[in-house]
């Protein structure tokens, strides 16, 4: 990136210039001497974040964020380091602005943190042990116990079906998935690790009373969050022309 300015930030000192996108910081950085419109890359929490010092994010910033978002699994998190709750609230606020047909806003979130992580871990591990039968694996059982403790927060992703507006379920599923993408991109912008899991108790009927689901509500998995200790490898994608058909006549 020609004209790019690089700042190497310590893990405890993330960038927070006033650019219209919220970035957590314990040590704000003043960019008054940086020329307008020049892209700035911050290496924060061992993950690169691109932004400009203009008042509005540019397309280069968006492209970089979209293409560098990665799944970061709980065993890659820095165990014991807790994300501030106000940062989690910002992720959820961004999720709340996902597109949705007929404004049903079907996403709901249950956030586990603190000692509640152990309760969640014990429940999902015990359900697996009770129901796995001959397919039981000790390593999987232990992973269900330990992953929540490696994480700072675990967000249950819930679809709350509309009872007042007739709308196909698929459209509300898609809306919740968009909300999760907003969480994921926001986490990446903060330099946090995130992983959307549909394992554990996601498809277990016992999860419904555990999470208070009603009627046609659907559990769509869990989003694990933490500070990154081991970065994920660079991603790859097959060429988009191989997946696209243009119709012009």
């Amino acid at each position: 990136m020609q004209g790019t300015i690089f700042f190497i930030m310590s893990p405890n000192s993330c960038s927070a210039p006033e650019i219209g996108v919220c970035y957590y910081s314990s040590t704000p950085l003043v960019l008054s001497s940086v020329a307008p419109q020049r892209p700035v890359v911050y290496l924060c929490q061992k993950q690169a974040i691109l932004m400009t010092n203009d008042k509005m994010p540019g397309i280069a910033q968006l492209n970089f964020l979209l293409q560098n978002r990665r799944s970061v699994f709980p065993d890659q998190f820095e165990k014991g380091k807790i994300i501030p709750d106000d940062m989690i609230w910002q992720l959820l606020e961004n999720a709340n602005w996902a597109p949705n047909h007929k404004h049903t806003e079907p996403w709901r979130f249950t956030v586990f943190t603190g000692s509640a992580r152990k309760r969640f871990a014990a429940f999902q591990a015990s359900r697996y042990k009770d129901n796995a039968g001959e397919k039981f694996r000790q390593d999987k059982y232990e992973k269900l116990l330990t992953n929540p403790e490696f994480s700072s927060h675990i967000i249950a992703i819930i679809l709350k079906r509309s009872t007042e507006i007739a709308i196909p379920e698929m459209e509300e599923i898609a809306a919740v998935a968009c909300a999760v993408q907003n969480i994921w991109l926001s986490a990446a912008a903060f330099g946090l690790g995130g992983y959307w899991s549909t394992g554990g108790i996601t498809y277990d009927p016992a999860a419904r009373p555990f999470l208070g689901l009603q009627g046609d509500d659907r559990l769509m998995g869990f989003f694990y969050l933490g500070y990154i200790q081991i970065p994920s490898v660079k991603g790859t994608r097959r060429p988009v022309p191989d997946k696209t058909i243009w119709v012009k006549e």
Side-chain angles (χ1 to χ4, degrees):
M1 289 175 288
Q2 187 174 5
T4 299
I5 303 168
F6 287 88
F7 290 89
I8 308 301
M9 310 297 293
S10 70
N12 295 319
S13 178
C14 299
S15 53
E18 296 180 0
I19 60 162
V21 178
C22 178
Y23 289 85
Y24 178 78
S25 176
S26 59
T27 308
L29 181 68
V30 178
L31 296 177
S32 58
S33 61
V34 179
Q37 305 295 336
R38 293 182 65 185
V40 181
V41 173
Y42 294 83
L43 301 181
C44 177
Q45 296 300 335
K46 305 176 184 177
Q47 182 169 324
I49 304 166
L50 174 69
M51 59 189 174
T52 70
N53 61 316
D54 191 20
K55 291 295 182 182
M56 292 295 292
I59 188 63
Q61 176 185 356
L62 178 61
N63 291 345
F64 187 91
L65 186 61
L66 289 168
Q67 295 172 22
N68 287 274
R69 178 211 56 79
R70 293 291 170 266
S71 291
V72 182
F73 301 96
D75 60 1
Q76 296 173 250
F77 296 161
E78 187 174 343
K79 185 178 179 181
K81 188 170 184 180
I82 304 301
I83 301 166
D85 285 347
D86 60 352
M87 196 182 295
I88 300 299
W89 277 115
Q90 183 65 65
L91 303 186
L92 298 176
E93 177 64 26
N94 291 350
N96 198 41
W97 287 92
N100 59 108
H101 192 197
K102 296 187 177 180
H103 297 168
T104 61
E105 301 181 19
W107 44 81
R108 297 293 186 274
F109 309 108
T110 298
V111 183
F112 293 88
T113 191
S115 61
R117 294 172 301 164
K118 291 185 178 181
R119 182 165 63 88
F120 169 71
F123 179 74
Q124 69 170 2
S126 66
R127 289 296 299 169
Y128 171 71
K129 189 174 184 179
D130 292 345
N131 293 285
E134 295 181 355
K135 295 182 179 179
F136 177 82
R137 286 170 31 205
Q138 184 65 27
D139 62 331
K140 184 173 182 179
Y141 173 75
E142 292 175 359
K143 188 175 183 180
L144 290 169
L145 280 174
T146 58
N147 272 354
E149 292 193 49
F150 278 122
S151 306
S152 169
H153 294 69
I154 305 107
I155 304 173
I157 307 299
I158 298 167
L159 162 63
K160 183 71 174 177
R161 283 290 279 146
S162 173
T163 58
E164 299 178 358
I165 300 175
I167 185 171
E169 183 184 42
M170 178 56 70
E171 296 189 14
E172 295 202 301
I173 291 173
V176 175
C178 288
V180 174
Q181 176 74 337
N182 283 5
I183 291 174
W184 217 330
L185 291 173
S186 300
F190 275 123
L192 302 173
Y195 166 57
W196 188 4
S197 169
T198 53
I201 58 172
T202 299
Y203 301 106
D204 186 342
R208 297 183 62 80
F210 181 74
L211 291 167
L213 273 63
Q214 301 175 345
D216 293 328
D217 297 349
R218 182 190 290 261
L219 176 61
M220 291 179 57
F222 298 89
F223 200 87
Y224 290 78
L225 285 158
Y227 284 100
I228 301 170
Q229 184 173 50
I230 304 173
S232 295
V233 298
K234 182 177 176 60
T236 59
R237 292 291 188 273
R238 296 186 301 277
V240 70
D242 294 350
K243 309 168 189 175
T244 307
I245 297 173
W246 288 69
V247 181
K248 296 185 176 181
E249 295 182 358

